[in-house]
Amino acid sequence: MSSPAPNCHSEQRKESLLAGTARMDIRTALKLGIAQLRAARVCSDTLAAELLLLHSTGRTRTSLYSHPEVPLTEAESQTYFGLIEKRAAGIPTQHLTGKQEFWGMEFAVTPDVLIPRPETEHLIEVALDRLALRDLRAKHRQNMTGDGLLLADIGTGSGCIAAALAREFPAAQIFALDISPAALFVARRNAARLGFADRIQFAESNLLSAIPVSQVASHQQPLFDLIVSNPPYIGRREAATLAREVREHEPEIALYGGEEGYELYADLVTQSAAHLKPGGIVVLELGHDSLPAVQPLFDSPEWTNFGVANDLAGILRVLSAERSANGFSRSR
Ligand SMILES: C[S@@+](CC[C@H](N)C(=O)[O-])C[C@H]1O[C@@H](n2cnc3c(N)ncnc32)[C@H](O)[C@@H]1O
């Protein structure tokens, strides 16, 4: 019997490998995926492998763990190990699955938007606390539905903050602004899918510039009860310290605030003061070292009740302040 030609031999090996993976059960696939990601030094390797397996098989997490002996089909295997390879090469899990959860809702994400981060949920918590406190201080009944409230999310990205506010305040009107038309495309689609399209108005805008201050005199300028923003706040000089998947796969416009990182805050604070009602609240996410540069911007009679809250890692992450009545004429 003559031995097979080398080409033929490698084809046979490939086929038997594929056949092997086709019969691979869920438990083994997960173990192999985790090992491959760990070898590539991917952080949260177990979670990433699990999410990619859920995505490739369409199964629920419960069925994954209650029936780990179930074999994958050949197509599932190929999809899963293909995604594991891409994740090992540095592509974020969320770009492979196309989604990320935020405030209990699922958001579509693409390379045009920042992947919503869990720490940004803290911004929503602070905003809700500050509005409730404002009602308490004014001895109003708490406005649970947001009826009559006008809210703004500057730098909306995927629309996650605007949608979280829309969910918390089912009667509020919300402006969601971003300088990136590509991000706004994603945000609009998310809002429509989540059922908020009628209450979130999207606009391309450099900070609040699309909301004309010139209309103030004619009383047509929308004055906000709440302005929330998670602006880009990383310094370009820090770029080399970022994880590769962030630096190479997330949009620069969403990451960098300038050479130092905190450059956008001065305009953001000035414009917020011009667009908030007296008693209106601004809530801003901060970079890990932004506070010393940002806090002095609130040293002005226009602002009162300044506060800073830590995130779970103990980093001073969320700044909030109230627009005082200073500078408002009676006609407003
Ligand atoms: C850090 S991301 C935040 C995205 C989203 N709000 C979140 O929390 O996941 C910053 C967003 O601000 C937008 N942006 C950057 N510069 C801006 C500017 N001058 N005016 C308005 N939006 C801006 C970016 O396009 C990006 O979507």
Side-chain angles (χ1 to χ4, degrees):
M1 211 170 78
S2 62
S3 57
N7 270 351
C8 194
H9 187 222
S10 71
E11 271 312 302
Q12 274 175 354
R13 256 197 71 179
K14 215 161 121 193
E15 264 172 36
S16 71
L17 263 176
L18 273 178
T21 46
R23 284 194 304 273
M24 187 183 289
D25 63 34
I26 285 175
R27 184 189 290 111
T28 314
L30 200 54
K31 260 167 84 177
L32 283 179
I34 294 169
Q36 206 172 322
L37 295 183
R38 192 161 296 167
R41 296 172 184 269
V42 167
C43 61
S44 307
D45 44 34
T46 304
L47 179 64
E50 189 186 284
L51 289 171
L52 295 177
L53 192 53
L54 290 172
H55 181 71
S56 311
T57 61
R59 289 187 169 83
T60 62
R61 184 170 273 125
T62 314
S63 91
L64 216 64
Y65 287 104
S66 56
H67 296 291
E69 75 291 350
V70 170
L72 298 185
T73 65
E74 186 176 336
E76 286 171 340
S77 249
Q78 280 186 345
T79 307
Y80 171 64
F81 284 105
L83 292 176
I84 288 284
E85 223 167 89
K86 289 184 177 163
R87 182 67 194 93
I91 299 179
T93 307
Q94 295 86 341
H95 287 178
L96 298 171
T97 61
K99 59 195 178 200
Q100 170 65 31
E101 197 182 297
F102 183 86
W103 205 253
M105 294 175 283
E106 194 175 281
F107 290 84
V109 292
T110 72
D112 290 323
V113 298
L114 188 89
I115 297 165
R117 306 296 206 264
E119 59 267 27
T120 300
E121 294 192 334
H122 203 42
L123 198 79
I124 311 293
E125 287 163 0
V126 172
L128 299 182
D129 285 354
R130 291 289 308 230
L131 286 175
L133 196 68
R134 189 179 75 152
D135 288 342
L136 204 68
R137 276 211 316 267
K139 299 195 169 53
H140 291 154
R141 228 166 29 137
Q142 197 178 338
N143 184 348
M144 303 292 280
T145 63
D147 191 21
L149 292 187
L150 191 58
L151 320 176
D153 169 23
I154 307 178
T156 197
S158 62
C160 60
I161 295 175
L165 293 173
R167 183 165 140 176
E168 291 303 315
F169 294 116
Q173 288 294 326
I174 300 162
F175 277 76
L177 311 172
D178 206 291
I179 203 165
S180 156
L184 284 166
F185 180 76
V186 176
R188 278 196 183 94
R189 281 213 332 230
N190 277 324
R193 195 173 37 79
L194 293 166
F196 301 132
D198 56 334
R199 287 192 298 117
I200 306 180
Q201 198 171 318
F202 292 94
E204 189 180 331
S205 179
N206 183 354
L207 301 179
L208 279 150
S209 63
I211 314 283
V213 179
S214 59
Q215 290 179 15
V216 171
S218 55
H219 308 273
Q220 283 169 12
Q221 179 202 17
L223 285 176
F224 294 101
D225 295 279
L226 174 75
I227 293 178
V228 180
S229 183
N230 173 19
Y233 54 62
I234 297 169
R236 279 192 181 275
R237 61 186 179 84
E238 286 179 85
T241 66
L242 294 178
R244 186 177 61 145
E245 66 213 49
V246 176
R247 193 178 57 239
E248 292 180 3
H249 295 279
E250 298 208 67
E252 291 204 354
I253 188 98
L255 296 176
Y256 304 115
E259 196 51 32
E260 299 300 324
Y262 49 72
E263 286 87 337
L264 274 181
Y265 287 96
D267 284 345
L268 193 48
V269 173
T270 308
Q271 293 185 26
S272 296
H275 285 84
L276 279 171
K277 290 177 184 165
I281 311 285
V282 68
V283 184
L284 306 177
E285 184 164 320
L286 296 172
H288 69 97
D289 58 357
S290 312
L291 188 64
V294 180
Q295 185 163 2
L297 303 171
F298 288 88
D299 269 344
S300 138
E302 287 174 323
W303 297 105
T304 179
N305 290 328
F306 179 87
V308 189
N310 286 351
D311 65 11
L312 290 176
I315 294 169
L316 292 164
R317 181 65 74 188
V318 182
L319 174 161
S320 56
E322 188 174 317
R323 177 71 168 95
S324 66
N326 259 313
F328 276 89
S329 66
R330 251 165 226 244
S331 61
R332 284 200 199 181

